[in-house]
Amino acid sequence: VLGGMEATVKNLQYLYDMLPEGATWSAFGIGKYHLPIMYATLALGGHIRVGLEDNIYYSKGKLATNVELVERAVRVIKEFGKEPATSDEAREILGIAR
């Protein structure tokens, strides 16, 4: 992606290490890098996003739907012992007015 950094866990760790203490942050990977970056971001305490604008495949050769991507993200978030943000919570985190 033009202007983006190669989506590796090593690069994500480097960027994470540069964050100021208490920063709110998120990361996402495009295409085949989606899952490794999602897992690493959750492990490091960041926020994630999902959607067809970044990844059109659910798995190799299987086209995704937004519903499938969101359902998987919710499942993974819960497996990490966390709770996904509601729409209102996400707006508050991002500082977006209703």
Side-chain angles (χ1 to χ4, degrees):
V1 173
L2 185 61
M5 182 178 248
E6 185 179 359
T8 67
V9 173
K10 184 176 182 176
N11 283 343
L12 180 61
Q13 180 69 55
Y14 170 78
L15 294 171
Y16 172 78
D17 290 343
M18 297 294 114
L19 290 171
E21 186 73 28
T24 299
W25 65 280
S26 65
F28 61 95
I30 304 287
K32 68 181 182 179
Y33 303 103
H34 170 73
L35 289 177
I37 296 300
M38 179 171 70
Y39 297 148
T41 299
L42 290 170
L44 291 169
H47 296 276
I48 61 167
R49 73 170 207 190
V50 297
L52 292 173
E53 66 276 10
D54 301 324
N55 187 29
I56 62 169
Y57 290 100
Y58 185 81
S59 59
K60 188 172 182 172
K62 182 185 182 304
L63 290 173
T65 67
N66 267 321
V67 171
E68 289 174 318
L69 295 173
V70 170
E71 286 175 345
R72 177 171 54 198
V74 167
R75 186 178 68 252
V76 170
I77 290 166
K78 289 181 176 184
E79 288 174 0
F80 269 85
K82 302 175 184 202
E83 283 296 316
T86 65
S87 297
D88 287 337
E89 290 167 336
R91 284 186 190 92
E92 184 177 331
I93 291 165
L94 297 169
I96 298 171
R98 230 185 194 308

